[in-house]
Amino acid sequence: TNCQLVGQPFTLFRGRIGTGNAQRTGMVRITEVDAHGHEIETKEEPKTRQLVNLSPADAKAVADHERAADSLIEKDRLHQAHAPLCEAISIRERALGFKHPDLCKPLCKVGGVLRATGRFDDAEKAYRRSLEIREKHDGGDALEVARTLEALGEVLRAQGNLTSAEACLREGLEKLESCRGPKDPEVGGSLVNLASLLDHVGRSREALVTIQRAVLIFDNEADERCRIAEAWERHLERKVAEEADSD
């Protein structure tokens, strides 16, 4: 499938869709790959199953709107993609109510488009609503919760709410490790995001320890992820050494 999905950011070298300086605001993935541009195994359900709770007419309308949005996203026409995504959500809301778990992934998808176009306040609302719905349904898909938390953390970071951003990134990382295991490359990407934030707020030593974990994870990848993480590690090593010399 070529279904477009919102997922976890990777602030160092995400080059697909985003706003501002990649190291400051983060970027957003809206493709069926991981945060680093590599394909990942997902737990996405087939569209036919996702729409099973809708009437045939509603299911067709939702599919048509989402297909139109996917086409616009592929062409980087993100501002235009927002409207059909919202239309699809409205149909689901009318048919299923405002707190149905089938709304969670569409809300995250809208959140990703809003975030990529710099509408951070609206993106935050979309991500938080998705998380609130999942919480009412016993947490839902833990992996999607982890990715949503990290996306929310990057939105909060872009807004300057760094304390809350760190809390979201740490919670998302913890859940991601539980789902994927501590050595999964997606965990490495989350560690880089956290290290970048820690460095940004002046906690270089913590950032270095965090990025070193990421380097160990990427050590066997021998690709751009590994090279970028190692470069970030060298940057932090120099920074920590300079801080030690000045003490």
Side-chain angles (χ1 to χ4, degrees), residues 211-220:
I211 200 66
Q212 286 171 337
R213 283 190 59 200
V215 169
L216 288 174
I217 291 173
F218 290 137
D219 187 49
N220 296 323

Side-chain angles (χ1 to χ4, degrees), residues 3-234:
C3 178
Q4 304 295 311
L5 308 170
V6 169
Q8 147 184 348
F10 189 51
T11 56
L12 279 183
F13 60 91
R14 297 292 309 290
R16 289 179 176 270
I17 300 175
T19 57
N21 186 311
Q23 293 186 12
R24 296 302 180 193
T25 65
M27 298 185 181
V28 64
R29 173 171 61 84
I30 311 182
T31 58
E32 201 173 19
V33 296
D34 72 1
H36 331 301
H38 294 73
E39 292 184 2
I40 58 173
E41 178 184 355
T42 68
K43 295 182 179 180
E44 294 304 311
E45 298 174 340
K47 278 187 175 292
T48 53
R49 186 174 174 186
Q50 291 177 17
L51 303 178
V52 70
N53 293 315
L54 300 175
S55 69
D58 284 342
K60 181 180 183 306
V62 166
D64 287 345
H65 285 305
E66 291 184 342
R67 190 160 42 245
D70 289 345
S71 177
L72 291 166
I73 289 170
E74 288 173 357
K75 298 172 184 176
D76 287 335
R77 293 162 61 183
L78 301 182
H79 288 282
Q80 293 172 297
H82 179 254
L85 288 176
C86 288
E87 285 294 331
I89 288 176
S90 294
I91 293 170
R92 282 190 168 98
E93 288 172 337
R94 289 195 297 271
L96 306 173
F98 288 86
K99 297 181 181 180
H100 195 281
D102 283 2
L103 292 168
C104 293
K105 289 177 184 177
L107 283 167
C108 285
K109 190 171 178 179
V110 167
V113 168
L114 291 167
R115 179 176 162 220
T117 53
R119 296 171 60 184
F120 298 117
D121 290 347
D122 290 332
E124 178 187 356
K125 292 175 184 176
Y127 287 134
R128 287 194 185 281
R129 185 180 170 200
S130 177
L131 290 169
E132 288 168 3
I133 292 172
R134 288 195 187 280
E135 185 177 349
K136 292 181 182 296
H137 293 271
D138 299 321
D141 187 329
L143 181 59
E144 291 303 317
V145 170
R147 290 170 174 166
T148 305
L149 281 167
E150 182 147 7
L152 175 59
E154 289 296 325
V155 166
L156 294 170
R157 177 182 182 175
Q159 294 171 317
N161 190 348
L162 302 181
T163 301
S164 296
E166 180 182 348
C168 281
L169 292 178
R170 289 191 181 279
E171 185 179 356
L173 173 61
E174 181 181 352
K175 291 182 182 296
L176 186 61
E177 286 183 291
S178 296
C179 295
R180 291 289 203 183
K183 297 182 180 180
D184 188 87
E186 192 171 351
V187 171
S190 294
L191 287 166
V192 174
N193 286 339
L194 179 58
S196 176
L197 177 62
L198 292 171
D199 182 40
H200 181 57
V201 298
R203 291 153 62 185
S204 303
R205 289 176 174 80
E206 289 181 65
L208 177 58
V209 171
T210 304
I211 200 66
Q212 286 171 337
R213 283 190 59 200
V215 169
L216 288 174
I217 291 173
F218 290 137
D219 187 49
N220 296 323
E221 299 299 321
D223 58 15
E224 187 181 14
R225 292 172 294 182
C226 182
R227 292 189 294 273
I228 295 294
E230 288 175 344
W232 194 247
E233 179 186 32
R234 290 192 295 271

